[in-house]
Amino acid sequence: MGSLNLLWNTTKKCLTFGLISLTITDRYASIVPVRGSSMSPTLNPGNGSFIGKSDDYVLVEKLCLEKYKFSQGDVVVFCSPTNHKEKHVKRIIGLPGDWVGTRSRDVVRIPDGHCWVEGDNSSISKDSTTFGPIPLGLVKGRVTHVVWPPKRMGEIKAIIPPDRHLRSSSFQ
């Protein structure tokens, strides 16, 4: 009888912990690995140049999703518009109503409900220059910190790369 009671109590605690963890990762924050070097040097610096380099793990904050509170320069995680199983990590360059100059020297106005994202390593990044403005509904959260490896722990700054020129809708 005592072992059944112990088993039941352990099961309840595990289920409670699991449900709380699921709620936190679904609604508030999660930790996500960053693969590849399209966001280098901000994330995974030197990854790809040395065999055995580890991926960065980042903290993804999800409270920004409630009212799509994003800013230019934020690094975000989003589902690929062409394959919903793929997740990408890129920097927001333009928000709805902004005018963005593309690498092919075209100028694009970002439609309502969309944003323009680009990787910091533009030579190998699959981003809005490939698939155009992405719907804000595909964004899964904002990257706030690198949490692994320990030597790279720190905050991710929301910056616009100096070579990116855009005209914000607020200046029109």
Side-chain angles (χ1 to χ4, degrees), residues 158-171:
I159 58 168
I160 300 282
D163 62 336
R164 299 300 297 134
H165 301 286
L166 60 97
R167 182 173 176 195
S168 178
S169 59
S170 60
F171 299 123

Side-chain angles (χ1 to χ4, degrees), residues 49-138:
S49 60
F50 298 103
I51 296 174
K53 279 285 190 180
S54 65
D55 296 326
D56 284 351
Y57 284 77
V58 295
L59 180 66
V60 178
E61 174 264 318
K62 298 179 180 183
L63 293 173
C64 59
L65 298 175
E66 288 183 22
K67 295 188 180 176
Y68 297 109
K69 297 177 186 174
F70 301 108
S71 302
Q72 293 167 343
D74 284 347
V75 176
V76 295
V77 176
F78 64 95
C79 289
S80 168
T82 57
N83 181 355
H84 70 279
K85 293 180 181 179
E86 288 181 11
K87 302 270 191 298
H88 296 281
V89 178
K90 306 292 180 213
R91 189 176 301 278
I92 293 180
I93 300 298
L95 292 166
D98 289 347
W99 294 89
V100 177
T102 66
R103 292 186 195 112
S104 63
R105 305 221 185 259
D106 292 332
V107 177
V108 176
R109 185 171 189 277
I110 310 303
D112 286 341
H114 290 71
C115 64
W116 189 271
V117 295
E118 292 181 3
D120 289 355
N121 187 354
S122 60
S123 63
I124 62 165
S125 182
K126 185 176 177 184
D127 51 30
S128 286
T129 57
T130 304
F131 37 73
I134 64 159
L136 288 171
L138 294 179

